[in-house]
Amino acid sequence: MKVVIALLTLLSAQAVLADCTVDITVGDTLKFSKDAIEVKQSCANVTIRLTHSGALPAGAMGHNWVLTRSKDYEAVARAGASSGLSGNFLPADDERVIAATPVIGGGNSTSVTFSLDELDRDADYTFFCSFPGHWAVMNGPFEIS
Ligand code: CO
């Protein structure tokens, strides 16, 4: 009986974990596999797993996943252009950046884990790829429900 209870506990823990992990795929086009992301406020931490299933290198078709307030995303994306690939096309030490993965190329994957504690459920957040020229189309709403 104890074994059964332990297994059930493990399963529910995995269910909670799965709920707070978001898998997103990108390829050799300017598109995230998800147009919008919704996470539960009950998630202590959210993990975004980004997989680049394309073939092109990061310098040609790199993608990352960046989260800012919606009002900040365009300015952050523009400011990041001069940081180059080595700077992941993001302004260094910019507090407007809530979470970000490195820029990856085809065949690679990456992830970022962050807390929702500092986020305001009623504010508007946008996720985007900060690669120059991508952010205008590679973006979507990030909602906390
Ligand atoms: Co991109």
Side-chain angles (χ1 to χ4, degrees):
M1 195 59 190
K2 274 184 182 167
V3 173
V4 172
I5 292 169
L7 272 175
L8 285 173
T9 305
L10 184 65
L11 284 173
S12 63
Q14 284 176 337
V16 168
L17 191 66
D19 232 19
C20 299
T21 299
V22 181
D23 284 300
I24 303 175
T25 304
V26 287
D28 291 335
T29 59
L30 306 190
K31 187 168 171 50
F32 286 112
S33 60
K34 286 183 164 60
D35 294 328
I37 295 172
E38 186 175 329
V39 296
K40 301 243 179 294
Q41 194 172 31
S42 58
C43 290
N45 291 298
V46 168
T47 296
I48 305 294
R49 294 195 295 216
L50 182 70
T51 301
H52 193 321
S53 61
L56 294 173
M61 187 52 80
H63 301 298
N64 62 355
W65 187 94
V66 183
L67 181 67
T68 65
R69 284 190 179 241
S70 297
K71 67 181 176 63
D72 293 332
Y73 106 89
E74 185 172 341
V76 168
R78 288 186 187 281
S82 60
S83 298
L85 180 59
S86 63
N88 293 301
F89 298 111
L90 283 173
D93 301 322
D94 191 312
E95 63 184 18
R96 293 173 296 179
V97 176
I98 297 163
T101 71
V103 174
I104 56 170
N108 290 318
S109 60
T110 185
S111 70
V112 62
T113 298
F114 57 99
S115 169
L116 296 178
D117 288 353
E118 302 297 315
L119 303 194
D120 178 355
R121 183 175 170 170
D122 296 323
D124 291 327
Y125 296 94
T126 292
F127 68 92
F128 61 99
C129 171
S130 67
F131 196 99
H134 291 201
W135 54 268
V137 285
M138 292 185 77
N139 68 76
F142 179 91
E143 286 169 1
I144 304 164
S145 60

